[in-house]
Amino acid sequence: MATEPPRRVRFGIIGCANIAKKVSRAIFLSPNSTIVAIGSRSLDKAIAFAKENGYPASAKAYGSYEAVLDDPNVDAVYIPLPTSLHLQWAVLAARKKKHVLLEKPVALNVGELDKILEACESSGVQYMDATMWMHHPRTAEMKAFLSDSLRFGQLKAVHSIFSHNSGTDFLKNDIRMKPDLDALGALGDTGWYCIRAILWASDYQLPKTVTALSNVEYNELGVILSCGASLQFRDNKLATFYCSFLSNLTMEISVLGSNGYLRVHDFVIPFQENVGPFYVNANTKFAELSIGIEPAPTEYSIETDLPQEALMVKEFASLVGKIKENGSETEKKWGEISRKTQLVVDAVKASIEKGFEPIEVIV
Amino acid sequence: MATEPPRRVRFGIIGCANIAKKVSRAIFLSPNSTIVAIGSRSLDKAIAFAKENGYPASAKAYGSYEAVLDDPNVDAVYIPLPTSLHLQWAVLAARKKKHVLLEKPVALNVGELDKILEACESSGVQYMDATMWMHHPRTAEMKAFLSDSLRFGQLKAVHSIFSHNSGTDFLKNDIRMKPDLDALGALGDTGWYCIRAILWASDYQLPKTVTALSNVEYNELGVILSCGASLQFRDNKLATFYCSFLSNLTMEISVLGSNGYLRVHDFVIPFQENVGPFYVNANTKFAELSIGIEPAPTEYSIETDLPQEALMVKEFASLVGKIKENGSETEKKWGEISRKTQLVVDAVKASIEKGFEPIEVIV
């Protein structure tokens, strides 16, 4: 006898990372999801995490990740584990028919990601990476401007920065400082967003080549603490980015077109939770005598009832719900976008390793 | 018998370029300068220019550039001629003991500039390039922030954009489209400002190498219409820029430090003449749960009574006045800054010509 399908997608969380606090809140804020299980290598830690983050009394706490995957009440897992553990646990989750919301960077390289995507595909489970800003309504509004041939025109140049300077304790102890846990360092943690921003602005056209810029900083274990790169496309546009663990918290995209310009200063995490601003110049000319410009720039403020991370969960849970309740196909675009991002991450890393040679991006 | 020294520095203008209208206005706005002569290859053009731009009736109009240089009432010349003519006319002006305010790009290459600077030096006349934004009081305020070790810290990354899309007529007919007149194209016209911005942010430290980024666009005569480059310094900071005649009017500097971040969106020509804004983040941290940031960014608005181009003229005329009236030495820093800018322009051009190889910057 078929049971009534659940109205909310039931999440299990694997690992008690800091970011899991924010995503737990997002799952509770989203109208179509809830949390039914949390797993940690330490049962005490799982229990404490559930309590601290307001999990319902009915939510199970487990002393292992596997127990979460074996819980029949879990529809989907959110995986905030260190990157080096993604392959193992995302693949296992998919094999156990759990839909996968995977923290970024999604894998150590595209070979690993392909195994994860194949596992999701063959099990018919939804995959999505946890790149939250993709789901803010501002992102769609910005895209509408970039798609406006009169006001923006042809894309010419993109630049993105994501850096944070999280202090001595972070630089000493965070998992992102340990090559066995998160071998991609700042490139995976912050460069991921810059690369995604560039691909987003380019309608997910991949660059022809990627060239790292020779200013890489490393910690004593060889983990990248800051780097930059330029991306060369088949047309004449240029993209550059800079990512770092050693610079002030900064989250920029600037997109230059033949007829317009867009900038956003808080693309990764909006300065305010309920509103996302961006700034546009269109068909800007020098005023008479080249004194000032016409017209003045415009600020847009895009409001949102739910924070972007809750909108991400809502979108993911909506896809999962359709698969579970209507037998819909999985949505492939999230895997495709993730894969393109990882391809560029890999190319930057390869370019650094090969002494800043241009690296061809091979799909 | 010594004549009473003039209270205002008396300018002669060589050539009736569009930019000379703006600078003529600036000379009249500045309290210590005036215009006493204008020369063009066409006397009619010189007469019309003087009339259209409100020159006093006493101002002479000449049918040649040389006549301006031979006028004993002229203390200083402003040279807005095409770049390829700078060497000839700036050197001649200096030899005729006229102080030289030279439009940018100042020369086709540093070899030419060195001849100009040597001529100024040996004649004891003041040299300055007409990079107006250097003289806005905002520029000093921004520099004060960049020099604040607590709020900004160590310089890590600079990015600058200057582009304008001045339409079909500009792209067809402007002197900046003709290799015999202005062989540096967008690199000289707009890249000049980006390079200056990077050097300014770096306290005029020269990069070790410069690498053009392979997205150069040319017109059918081989003039650069857009390009970008990265600059590598002896420390780990990175600088990148993008300059273009094919993109919307955009004038950006973003400067990232270990503890702070500064951005300005109208650095070349302020959107408003009497006020220059810039934006600062300092010691920015993620708020609790990584939702939002603390503290919020700060906007500074720096007011100015005189437009930046009048402040430039005022500074130049003040130096000229001191030389004329007090026998002061010339101020060397303007030549040094100009030369460093030109060195980087030359390196970008060489890198483009050598297939985007890194070019060592040799002083």
Side-chain angles (χ1 to χ4, degrees):
Chain A
M1 215 176 74
T3 54
E4 184 73 6
R7 288 178 58 232
R8 286 176 180 261
V9 166
R10 298 163 304 178
F11 273 87
I13 312 291
I14 284 183
C16 301
N18 259 329
I19 188 66
K21 296 179 190 173
K22 183 174 181 173
V23 174
S24 292
R25 173 174 175 265
I27 294 170
F28 292 129
L29 284 172
S30 171
N32 58 354
S33 58
T34 190
I35 299 175
V36 298
I38 167 90
S40 167
R41 286 171 301 175
S42 145
L43 178 61
D44 286 350
K45 215 170 154 188
I47 292 170
F49 190 90
K51 197 175 164 192
E52 280 161 20
N53 291 281
Y55 283 22
S58 59
K60 297 273 173 51
Y62 294 114
S64 79
Y65 306 143
E66 261 164 323
V68 174
L69 303 186
D70 286 328
D71 185 332
N73 286 319
V74 169
D75 302 313
V77 286
Y78 167 63
I79 306 181
L81 296 172
T83 313
S84 60
L85 300 177
H86 285 193
L87 174 63
Q88 176 189 352
W89 291 102
V91 166
L92 191 61
R95 289 199 184 134
K96 303 232 179 198
K97 309 291 181 196
K98 308 304 187 191
H99 303 271
V100 173
L101 179 61
L102 186 57
E103 199 42 73
K104 37 58 49 189
V106 292
L108 293 176
N109 54 60
V110 78
E112 287 194 2
L113 177 58
D114 281 343
K115 288 182 186 144
I116 293 170
L117 293 175
E118 281 157 23
C120 290
E121 172 111 20
S122 68
S123 286
V125 298
Q126 183 63 44
Y127 166 92
M128 184 184 276
D129 68 46
T131 308
M132 298 169 179
W133 70 275
M134 304 298 297
H135 303 271
H136 196 295
R138 169 173 69 178
T139 304
E141 292 289 330
M142 294 195 294
K143 191 73 214 180
F145 174 73
L146 300 183
S147 305
D148 185 330
S149 60
L150 295 176
R151 299 185 69 218
F152 182 75
Q154 195 189 343
L155 177 60
K156 291 295 202 173
V158 196
H159 185 68
S160 180
I161 305 171
F162 182 24
S163 63
H164 56 87
N165 180 347
S166 296
T168 316
D169 184 56
F170 175 87
L171 289 174
K172 237 181 169 166
N173 300 319
D174 193 84
I175 58 160
R176 285 162 280 190
M177 296 304 141
K178 307 198 190 300
D180 53 332
L181 293 176
D182 237 322
L184 297 171
L187 175 60
D189 188 49
T190 62
W192 174 272
Y193 291 94
C194 302
I195 292 167
R196 173 63 60 85
I198 290 167
L199 292 172
W200 165 81
S202 315
D203 288 332
Y204 300 105
Q205 182 196 357
L206 275 170
K208 194 177 54 173
T209 55
V210 170
T211 312
L213 301 170
S214 58
N215 66 321
V216 182
E217 295 172 284
Y218 303 93
N219 72 7
E220 70 281 3
L221 301 171
V223 171
I224 294 169
L225 300 182
S226 80
C227 68
S230 71
L231 285 64
Q232 293 80 41
F233 291 83
R234 273 166 225 286
D235 59 17
N236 275 317
K237 69 174 165 284
L238 175 68
T240 44
F241 74 86
Y242 184 71
C243 63
S244 178
F245 286 150
L246 302 173
S247 289
N248 191 59
L249 173 55
T250 301
M251 308 178 277
E252 301 268 319
I253 313 175
S254 86
V255 196
L256 181 59
S258 51
N259 303 330
Y261 181 62
L262 179 150
R263 57 187 165 84
V264 54
H265 306 295
D266 56 354
F267 85 102
V268 179
I269 295 176
F271 292 157
Q272 297 178 69
E273 201 170 38
N274 60 343
V275 60
F278 66 100
Y279 305 85
V280 153
N281 294 60
N283 301 304
T284 316
K285 304 292 171 204
F286 292 116
E288 182 67 20
L289 276 185
S290 292
I291 292 162
I293 63 156
E294 295 165 342
T298 308
E299 173 175 352
Y300 292 88
S301 280
I302 310 302
E303 295 185 9
T304 180
D305 291 338
L306 286 175
Q308 61 183 11
E309 58 274 19
L311 293 170
M312 172 184 77
V313 169
K314 189 181 169 192
E315 171 68 10
F316 177 75
S318 163
L319 294 170
V320 170
K322 284 180 200 157
I323 294 163
K324 282 175 55 83
E325 294 170 31
N326 311 336
S328 299
E329 292 282 301
T330 58
E331 171 58 79
K332 299 292 186 294
K333 81 168 179 186
W334 297 111
E336 288 162 9
I337 293 172
S338 224
R339 188 170 193 277
K340 286 180 174 179
T341 311
Q342 185 75 48
L343 277 170
V344 177
V345 167
D346 289 5
V348 175
K349 190 152 182 275
S351 179
I352 292 171
E353 286 165 359
K354 291 187 176 168
F356 310 102
E357 284 299 302
I359 299 293
E360 210 179 326
V361 177
I362 297 162
V363 183
Chain B
M1 216 174 78
T3 54
E4 183 74 8
R7 288 179 57 233
R8 287 173 180 264
V9 167
R10 300 163 302 177
F11 273 87
I13 313 290
I14 285 183
C16 301
N18 259 328
I19 188 67
K21 296 178 189 174
K22 182 173 181 172
V23 173
S24 292
R25 174 176 175 265
I27 294 170
F28 292 130
L29 283 172
S30 172
N32 57 354
S33 60
T34 190
I35 300 175
V36 297
I38 168 90
S40 168
R41 286 171 302 175
S42 145
L43 178 61
D44 287 349
K45 216 171 151 190
I47 291 169
F49 189 90
K51 199 175 162 189
E52 281 160 21
N53 291 281
Y55 284 24
S58 58
K60 299 273 174 52
Y62 294 113
S64 78
Y65 306 145
E66 261 164 319
V68 175
L69 303 186
D70 286 329
D71 185 332
N73 285 319
V74 169
D75 303 312
V77 287
Y78 167 62
I79 306 181
L81 297 172
T83 313
S84 60
L85 301 177
H86 285 192
L87 174 63
Q88 176 189 351
W89 291 103
V91 166
L92 192 61
R95 289 197 184 134
K96 303 234 178 195
K97 310 287 182 202
K98 309 302 186 193
H99 302 270
V100 174
L101 179 61
L102 186 56
E103 200 41 73
K104 37 57 50 189
V106 292
L108 294 176
N109 54 59
V110 78
E112 286 193 4
L113 178 58
D114 280 342
K115 288 181 186 144
I116 294 169
L117 293 174
E118 281 156 26
C120 289
E121 172 111 21
S122 69
S123 285
V125 298
Q126 182 63 43
Y127 166 92
M128 183 184 278
D129 68 46
T131 308
M132 299 168 179
W133 70 272
M134 304 299 297
H135 303 273
H136 196 295
R138 169 173 67 179
T139 304
E141 292 289 330
M142 292 193 296
K143 192 72 213 179
F145 174 73
L146 300 183
S147 305
D148 185 329
S149 60
L150 294 177
R151 299 184 70 218
F152 182 75
Q154 195 190 345
L155 177 60
K156 291 294 199 173
V158 197
H159 185 69
S160 179
I161 306 172
F162 182 24
S163 64
H164 56 87
N165 179 348
S166 296
T168 316
D169 184 57
F170 175 88
L171 289 174
K172 237 179 167 168
N173 300 318
D174 194 86
I175 59 160
R176 286 163 278 190
M177 297 304 143
K178 306 197 191 303
D180 54 331
L181 293 176
D182 237 320
L184 297 172
L187 175 61
D189 188 49
T190 62
W192 173 273
Y193 291 94
C194 302
I195 290 166
R196 174 63 59 87
I198 291 167
L199 293 172
W200 165 81
S202 315
D203 287 332
Y204 300 104
Q205 182 196 359
L206 276 170
K208 195 177 53 174
T209 56
V210 170
T211 312
L213 301 170
S214 58
N215 65 323
V216 183
E217 294 172 285
Y218 304 93
N219 73 6
E220 68 281 3
L221 301 171
V223 171
I224 294 168
L225 300 182
S226 79
C227 68
S230 71
L231 285 66
Q232 293 80 41
F233 290 82
R234 272 165 226 289
D235 59 19
N236 275 317
K237 70 174 163 283
L238 174 70
T240 45
F241 76 86
Y242 183 72
C243 63
S244 178
F245 287 148
L246 303 172
S247 290
N248 191 60
L249 173 54
T250 300
M251 309 178 276
E252 301 269 318
I253 312 174
S254 86
V255 196
L256 181 59
S258 50
N259 302 331
Y261 180 63
L262 179 150
R263 57 188 165 82
V264 54
H265 305 295
D266 56 353
F267 86 102
V268 178
I269 295 177
F271 292 156
Q272 297 179 70
E273 202 170 36
N274 60 343
V275 61
F278 67 99
Y279 306 85
V280 153
N281 295 60
N283 301 304
T284 316
K285 302 293 171 204
F286 291 117
E288 181 67 19
L289 276 186
S290 293
I291 291 161
I293 64 156
E294 295 164 345
T298 308
E299 173 175 352
Y300 292 88
S301 280
I302 310 303
E303 295 185 9
T304 179
D305 290 338
L306 287 174
Q308 61 182 9
E309 57 274 20
L311 293 171
M312 171 183 77
V313 170
K314 189 179 169 193
E315 170 68 11
F316 176 76
S318 164
L319 295 170
V320 170
K322 284 181 201 157
I323 296 162
K324 282 172 57 82
E325 293 170 31
N326 312 338
S328 299
E329 292 284 302
T330 58
E331 170 59 78
K332 298 293 186 296
K333 81 168 176 185
W334 297 110
E336 288 162 11
I337 292 172
S338 224
R339 188 171 192 276
K340 287 182 175 180
T341 311
Q342 186 76 47
L343 277 170
V344 177
V345 168
D346 289 4
V348 175
K349 192 154 180 276
S351 179
I352 291 171
E353 286 165 0
K354 292 190 176 165
F356 311 103
E357 285 299 302
I359 299 293
E360 210 180 325
V361 177
I362 298 162
V363 184

